[in-house]
Amino acid sequence: MMGSDAQTTPETRSQTERPEAAIFSGGSRRLVVISNRVPRGDGPPGGLAVAMKDALKNRDSLWFGWSGESPPEASDDVLTEQRGQTTFAVTDISADDYAGYYEGFANRMLWPAFHYRLDLSRYTESDFEAYARVNEQFAERVAPFIEPDDLIWIHDYHLIPLAAELRARGVSNRIGFFSHIPFPSPEIFHAIPHKDRLIEGLACCNLVGFQSARDRSNFERYVCAHAHGFWRADGRISVDGRLVRSKAYPIGIDAEDFRQKALAPEVAEKADALVRAAAGRKIMLGVDRMDYSKGLPERVDAIETLFRRYPELVGQCQLIQVAPVSRGGVEAYANLRERLETAVGHVNGEFSTIDWTPIRFVANAVPREEVAAMMRVASLALVTPLRDGMNLVAKEYVAAQDPDDPGVLILSEFAGAAEQLTGALVINPHNPEEQARAISKALVMSRDERVERYRENRKVLAERDSSWWSSSFLSDLESASVDDFAAELLDAVDTVRTAE
Ligand code: ADQ
């Protein structure tokens, strides 16, 4: 629940009892953010909170989502807490619905499918029903808070049907949706049960944002080939009379803030200790949530290939892989941990010497500042997902480098970040030989080439930071044309006529 020092006001609101309108500041509309998780008052800010920092600055906002509580019987109460200009509004999800909605349809069905792993997707009708129900509950509970001029920004795959549920409750505001994860190719999307409900949810938005041009193209191709969509001259897509614009907004980071973290005196000692322990050997770093999309077993295979192909590197470098367990409730993740530990054990068993281990595997979470300090001292980073919406670790690694003596980023061509970070050594993670070759190249790369590649990447980080990401999305959402609504009205009239 929310921080103990917070002033929490329990309140249940009916449809008619609307909260007081917020006062607009700086001429900008109030922003309503809706996401599964809402930043907690007492913990470090999570990824989305960091990315949304600038969007929330100097404007009134409401952030709605799950409270983090799932009692056996959940009430429909919404608890609010004011922090600065933002009202945080949270609601419980019952234990059964949480299991079906979050662990079930969102993380057992959609996450693997959107990451091209239909083989890992598990579908049950009751999971989908819970997913649909939670989206309905979210719409029902947030609708009374929405004022006519608010901009609504929905985040991620947990809440794809939400816009349709809001429209069904008469919400005619501008609605934007951002997908943090990939959008799969049309053939894969076509295989997802209830795909029509998902497309309907996205088509009810005025703007749908993706991490990369590839994701956007996948969405548009699906809608046009399989959902009666067609492109209009103005670039928007018409889907059943609704007009939706889709565009790539690659999420950025606050690079300077991350660099400061890497240099913080509190973690300098930790970084020094790491360097001392490496005893002159080069540090290769991997930092990921333990997820099958991140290419971890494939990375371990590549390290084995590296030492076989380049025996002169044995004893000269070490991979430090931080991969804390995530989504422990989903079985595919437990299997992954087992597979990974076996693979690491195999490589370490084969190549270790009395004073050297090829792979140090850390399955516990490491604080963000320590991660930053590790990135600063690593000669190279392995960011080799099989699929990734963006991958912020790639950007953070670049931000943490010493500009005069930077390390090398080895990056999967299947991470959204590869469309932007052209200074990286880009590899296919399914090919251990190619990955091993890139590592060997990075380990001996001249300082001049490293600096040149770093500068290319760093320029992108500066031009496309987190502030650019949120402001460009919101300004496009704000300028969504009134035509959008006209088309929706025509659609509604048509529906009424058909019914008559
Ligand atoms: P994630 O899949 O969680 O996010 P990613 O972007 O790599 O992936 O990481 C998000 C944050 O978590 C980063 O700030 C990173 O430093 C931190 N993190 C990851 N592993 C960590 C570890 N082992 N220890 C400590 N911190 C760790 C989803 C999508 C991504 C997309 C983001 C943001 O899957 O593709 O980039 O959202 O949109």
Side-chain angles (χ1 to χ4, degrees):
M1 290 299 286
M2 298 200 159
S4 52
D5 55 347
Q7 290 194 338
T8 307
T9 337
E11 50 191 15
T12 315
R13 294 175 189 276
S14 70
Q15 290 277 101
T16 47
E17 190 193 341
R18 288 184 168 250
E20 282 199 352
I23 301 152
F24 297 147
S25 62
S28 52
R29 293 163 192 272
R30 192 175 79 140
L31 176 62
V32 174
V33 180
I34 310 177
S35 60
N36 174 58
R37 290 218 180 236
V38 168
R40 295 162 61 102
D42 51 358
L48 186 56
V50 173
M52 294 298 290
K53 197 178 71 192
D54 287 302
L56 300 177
K57 211 187 280 168
N58 301 327
R59 82 191 302 159
D60 292 316
S61 56
L62 175 89
W63 193 327
F64 180 91
W66 177 45
S67 63
E69 299 291 314
S70 25
E73 302 285 331
S75 77
D76 55 7
D77 288 356
V78 175
L79 307 184
T80 62
E81 176 196 335
Q82 191 71 30
R83 275 181 252 150
Q85 279 180 269
T86 305
T87 306
F88 291 88
V90 297
T91 189
D92 294 352
I93 299 174
S94 78
D96 284 349
D97 277 354
Y98 177 78
Y101 145 79
Y102 182 80
E103 291 180 347
F105 196 73
N107 282 319
R108 259 190 220 109
M109 182 67 230
L110 293 183
W111 175 275
F114 277 43
H115 288 85
Y116 294 73
R117 293 299 304 271
L118 279 174
D119 60 315
L120 295 177
S121 283
R122 297 288 174 268
Y123 171 76
T124 70
E125 193 64 21
S126 65
D127 282 353
F128 177 73
E129 282 163 6
Y131 179 78
R133 196 160 47 241
V134 170
N135 274 271
E136 284 160 26
Q137 287 166 359
F138 267 39
E140 190 71 24
R141 294 174 198 173
V142 73
F145 287 84
I146 294 170
E147 293 297 324
D149 271 337
D150 290 348
L151 288 177
I152 301 173
W153 191 355
I154 302 170
H155 289 266
D156 235 357
Y157 60 106
H158 316 91
L159 301 175
I160 300 178
L162 184 61
E165 295 300 335
L166 289 170
R167 296 289 187 226
R169 285 160 181 79
V171 173
S172 59
N173 301 52
R174 289 167 167 83
I175 303 182
F177 177 91
F178 185 77
S179 173
H180 290 260
I181 67 173
F183 194 91
S185 64
E187 292 73 17
I188 301 253
F189 190 80
H190 200 57
I192 298 175
H194 302 286
K195 53 190 178 287
D196 296 347
R197 281 284 290 275
L198 304 178
I199 291 296
E200 185 197 4
L202 296 176
C204 282
C205 297
N206 303 91
L207 178 65
V208 178
F210 295 100
Q211 297 275 26
S212 67
R214 175 165 46 203
D215 298 331
R216 174 200 179 182
S217 152
N218 284 341
F219 167 70
E220 295 191 346
R221 286 189 301 128
Y222 180 82
V223 168
C224 293
H226 301 282
H228 319 294
F230 62 87
W231 275 285
R232 289 173 24 125
D234 64 4
R236 288 180 294 174
I237 293 189
S238 174
V239 193
D240 290 335
R242 296 183 182 282
L243 297 180
V244 57
R245 182 179 298 285
S246 76
K247 194 169 158 182
Y249 302 88
I251 194 167
I253 62 167
D254 181 342
E256 183 51 28
D257 180 69
F258 198 81
R259 191 182 75 89
Q260 294 296 342
K261 280 195 171 61
L263 294 173
E266 311 86 83
V267 292
E269 204 177 300
K270 290 231 156 53
D272 287 348
L274 205 63
V275 173
R276 278 198 304 276
R281 295 173 179 123
K282 296 206 168 173
I283 297 171
M284 309 183 281
L285 185 64
V287 176
D288 309 79
R289 272 187 312 102
M290 196 185 288
D291 192 291
Y292 46 80
S293 66
K294 301 292 182 185
L296 296 168
E298 290 77 5
R299 196 176 299 168
V300 174
D301 282 355
I303 296 293
E304 180 175 358
T305 306
L306 177 79
F307 293 129
R308 284 200 197 291
R309 292 271 178 270
Y310 306 91
E312 69 279 12
L313 291 177
V314 171
Q316 300 306 307
C317 51
Q318 180 182 48
L319 172 67
I320 300 179
Q321 177 62 57
V322 186
V325 176
S326 73
R327 299 177 194 159
V330 181
E331 53 284 353
Y333 290 79
N335 298 343
L336 170 71
R337 179 169 188 176
E338 226 177 275
R339 187 174 158 208
L340 198 51
E341 284 175 351
T342 308
V344 169
H346 172 76
V347 175
N348 283 346
E350 177 138 3
F351 294 100
S352 289
T353 58
I354 207 88
D355 61 347
W356 173 75
T357 317
I359 304 176
R360 265 177 67 192
F361 181 59
V362 184
N364 296 318
V366 174
R368 204 168 159 72
E369 282 72 11
E370 277 183 43
V371 167
M374 288 162 90
M375 286 176 171
R376 176 91 178 175
V377 298
S379 299
L380 63 90
L382 285 165
V383 180
T384 58
L386 305 182
R387 285 285 160 183
D388 220 327
M390 175 53 58
N391 197 301
L392 293 181
V393 172
K395 295 188 171 180
E396 291 165 353
Y397 178 72
V398 172
Q401 296 312 296
D402 174 354
D404 296 324
D405 189 14
V408 181
L409 173 64
I410 297 179
L411 182 59
S412 161
E413 61 181 297
F414 303 116
E419 283 188 7
Q420 293 185 293
L421 301 178
T422 48
L425 290 180
V426 175
I427 55 104
N428 175 353
H430 298 284
N431 183 344
E433 302 282 345
E434 190 182 332
Q435 202 173 148
R437 253 194 319 276
I439 296 172
S440 72
K441 180 176 173 183
L443 288 171
V444 297
M445 191 179 282
S446 70
R447 182 190 293 229
D448 283 353
E449 184 174 350
R450 283 186 282 120
V451 168
E452 198 179 315
R453 287 175 175 276
Y454 162 80
R455 285 191 183 148
E456 201 171 316
N457 289 336
R458 188 66 183 78
K459 190 164 173 281
V460 175
L461 258 53
E463 286 169 359
R464 294 283 186 259
D465 61 3
S466 53
S467 170
W468 171 86
W469 172 72
S470 58
S471 63
S472 53
F473 185 93
L474 287 172
S475 88
D476 285 352
L477 180 58
E478 192 139 10
S479 60
S481 140
V482 282
D483 287 4
D484 303 9
F485 305 112
E488 276 168 29
L489 284 176
L490 283 174
D491 189 31
V493 171
D494 279 352
T495 315
V496 172
R497 285 203 187 120
T498 317
E500 283 168 359

